[in-house]
Amino acid sequence: MELIELASVELIDEEDNFEVIARTSEKYGLLPNDATIVATCIKHGITEIATFDKDFENVSFLKIVRG
C-alpha cells in the first residue's frame, strides 16, 4: 500500500452489480472480466485505459493508451 500511495495511485471500487456487468458484456461483446473493467470505467467516469488487450477497441467511449 505504501508504494501505491507514493505513486499517487487512486484505488477505486469495481462495479459489482451482476446485471450491469451482464448488460455491459452484451453491449460491447466482452467476456465477464473485461465487462467488469468497462462497467467500472463507466461507474467512475473513466474514459482512458492503458492496455494491450484488443477487446477494448470495441468500446467507443474508451481511449486506449499504449506505450
Side-chain angles (χ1 to χ4, degrees), residues 25-52:
S25 177
E26 186 175 320
K27 180 175 182 176
Y28 295 106
L30 299 169
L31 294 172
N33 287 336
D34 289 345
T36 300
I37 293 168
V38 171
T40 300
C41 289
I42 293 168
K43 178 178 182 175
H44 294 284
I46 296 168
T47 58
E48 293 182 329
I49 186 170
T51 184
F52 291 107

Side-chain angles (χ1 to χ4, degrees), residues 7-24:
S8 299
V9 173
E10 179 182 352
L11 298 179
I12 58 174
D13 295 323
E14 73 178 14
E15 179 62 71
D16 59 358
N17 182 311
F18 176 77
E19 291 177 15
V20 171
I21 294 168
R23 282 195 308 268
T24 303

